[in-house]
Amino acid sequence: MARTSIYDRISEKRLAAEALARQQAEEAANAPALVIEPEPVTVLALQPARNELKIAGLALLMPQGFNFRDIDTTLEKDGHPVTFSAKRRPAPEGLTLQRSAELYVGNLRKHHPDVTIVRQRDCLLAGSPAISVDYVFTADQERRHGRATSAIIDPVNGSERQWFSVSTVINPDLPALASWLIDFDDMLSDIVAC
């Protein structure tokens, strides 16, 4: 009984693997195409005249006729401050997301000339296309990391087009705040309409 050389056996395995790969490719090409539809994203409409704050389990309803414009607050985690802001303005017809990000960064530079843009990416905010900007700067001799996510919300039921922005600033060197930007993004992805 003649035994083939190891090189012949390796060659036979390679030829068999190539034949199997060709067969699988032909089967895949002849199989009906499976199209995976992305799940539709629910676009949430802003209701500027309906405002409430929920703090420590208490709901504070704003009187009728008062529209939300700015919220600037300081949260605390393990004794460390986290700045949180939400802003809303009517959006002029020509305002784009990219231009809104440029205006936001320009305003930052007025207050913090040393601001450096770390990253800019497209995302969603309340189901609307948005842009997220990460930046760093120095305040009180300490490094700060900020993230601002802004959207332009199209009009619904006769309301006007709105610019909506949610942002946060932290000291990134504090271990207690290491996961805050992840929590912040999760919080924004869980926005619901009331």
Side-chain angles (χ1 to χ4, degrees):
M1 173 160 123
R3 188 158 168 105
T4 58
S5 75
I6 189 166
Y7 300 108
D8 291 338
R9 290 191 300 260
I10 291 172
S11 180
E12 287 171 4
K13 282 185 178 182
R14 182 183 49 80
L15 292 173
E18 288 174 357
L20 179 61
R22 275 193 305 276
Q23 179 185 359
Q24 289 173 340
E26 288 173 7
E27 288 173 1
N30 294 331
L34 178 63
V35 177
I36 299 174
E37 296 282 331
E39 289 190 33
V41 176
T42 303
V43 177
L44 305 178
L46 287 182
Q47 299 176 41
R50 183 173 179 197
N51 295 288
E52 72 178 65
L53 295 174
K54 291 189 179 181
I55 302 169
L58 303 173
L60 177 64
L61 298 172
M62 300 300 131
Q64 199 68 21
F66 284 84
N67 293 334
F68 153 71
R69 183 177 168 93
D70 296 321
I71 295 174
D72 293 303
T73 189
T74 301
L75 307 172
E76 185 178 278
K77 181 168 185 193
D78 297 334
H80 303 292
V82 173
T83 302
F84 175 82
S85 300
K87 300 183 182 317
R88 180 203 60 83
R89 304 280 187 282
E93 204 51 49
L95 183 67
T96 64
L97 277 175
Q98 185 59 44
R99 181 66 182 140
S100 76
E102 291 167 5
L103 291 169
Y104 189 92
V105 170
N107 192 42
L108 276 174
R109 289 192 196 287
K110 288 179 189 175
H111 302 290
H112 307 286
D114 68 328
V115 89
T116 300
I117 303 305
V118 176
R119 175 177 75 151
Q120 182 174 313
R121 65 182 172 87
D122 295 331
C123 58
L124 292 175
L125 179 60
S128 292
I131 197 162
S132 183
V133 177
D134 279 79
Y135 53 93
V136 293
F137 62 96
T138 303
D140 301 327
Q141 306 299 322
E142 293 181 338
R143 196 165 64 111
R144 296 285 188 261
H145 187 130
R147 177 172 293 163
T149 302
S150 304
I152 296 176
I153 314 262
D154 288 324
V156 177
N157 299 330
S159 64
E160 58 185 336
R161 194 170 180 250
Q162 300 287 311
W163 171 79
F164 181 56
S165 181
V166 183
S167 62
T168 188
V169 175
I170 62 167
N171 179 340
D173 298 326
L174 297 171
L177 302 178
S179 67
W180 168 242
L181 294 175
I182 295 167
D183 295 339
F184 178 74
D185 284 345
D186 289 345
M187 184 176 72
L188 296 186
S189 68
D190 289 339
I191 290 177
V192 295
C194 296

